[in-house]
Amino acid sequence: MNIEEEPVYILRLFVAGASSKSVRAINNLQGILEDKLKNKYEMEIIDVHQQPEIVKSDDVVAVPMLIKKFPGPERRLVGDMSDIQRVLRGLGLLV
């Protein structure tokens, strides 16, 4: 990777089906990511009911939960992702 290149963020968003809080988290997060990281992120949306093995391996204790896998350090955010400043800090985009 060239030093000038920005990293591609690897993210996992854990949700509980189509609950209103989960849908809000997906929509809020997609808006933030498209605004701040357009074409520089990969997000996997995981339904905790459909993929319990991933939930267990990632030690998910609440939903919706966003896990930033890369670049390090790993960060976890819980909630509907409506607090833009908090999400940006969690992603390391705001000091």
Side-chain angles (χ1 to χ4, degrees), residues 9-14 58 65-78 81 85-95:
Y9 283 66
I10 308 297
L11 309 168
R12 278 188 170 170
L13 179 62
F14 291 86
D58 273 0
M65 178 184 279
L66 175 67
I67 301 178
K68 178 183 79 154
K69 295 293 213 174
F70 184 84
E74 183 177 288
R75 298 292 300 267
R76 293 165 177 254
L77 296 167
V78 176
M81 309 300 150
Q85 299 300 311
R86 187 171 150 260
V87 172
L88 293 175
R89 267 193 308 280
L91 293 172
L93 296 172
L94 202 63
V95 184

Side-chain angles (χ1 to χ4, degrees), residues 1 24 68:
M1 182 164 88
R24 216 170 26 253
K68 178 183 79 154

Side-chain angles (χ1 to χ4, degrees), residues 14 46-58:
F14 291 86
I46 299 165
D47 185 329
V48 296
H49 302 300
Q50 293 180 2
Q51 297 180 286
E53 66 286 346
I54 297 176
V55 173
K56 192 171 186 176
S57 70
D58 273 0

Side-chain angles (χ1 to χ4, degrees), residues 22-69:
S22 294
V23 170
R24 216 170 26 253
I26 292 167
N27 291 337
N28 288 339
L29 190 56
Q30 285 178 329
I32 294 168
L33 295 174
E34 282 300 306
D35 184 45
K36 300 295 183 185
L37 290 175
K38 191 160 186 74
N39 301 320
K40 299 224 181 291
Y41 71 94
E42 294 174 17
M43 182 171 64
E44 183 179 10
I45 298 173
I46 299 165
D47 185 329
V48 296
H49 302 300
Q50 293 180 2
Q51 297 180 286
E53 66 286 346
I54 297 176
V55 173
K56 192 171 186 176
S57 70
D58 273 0
D59 198 26
V60 174
V61 295
V63 290
M65 178 184 279
L66 175 67
I67 301 178
K68 178 183 79 154
K69 295 293 213 174

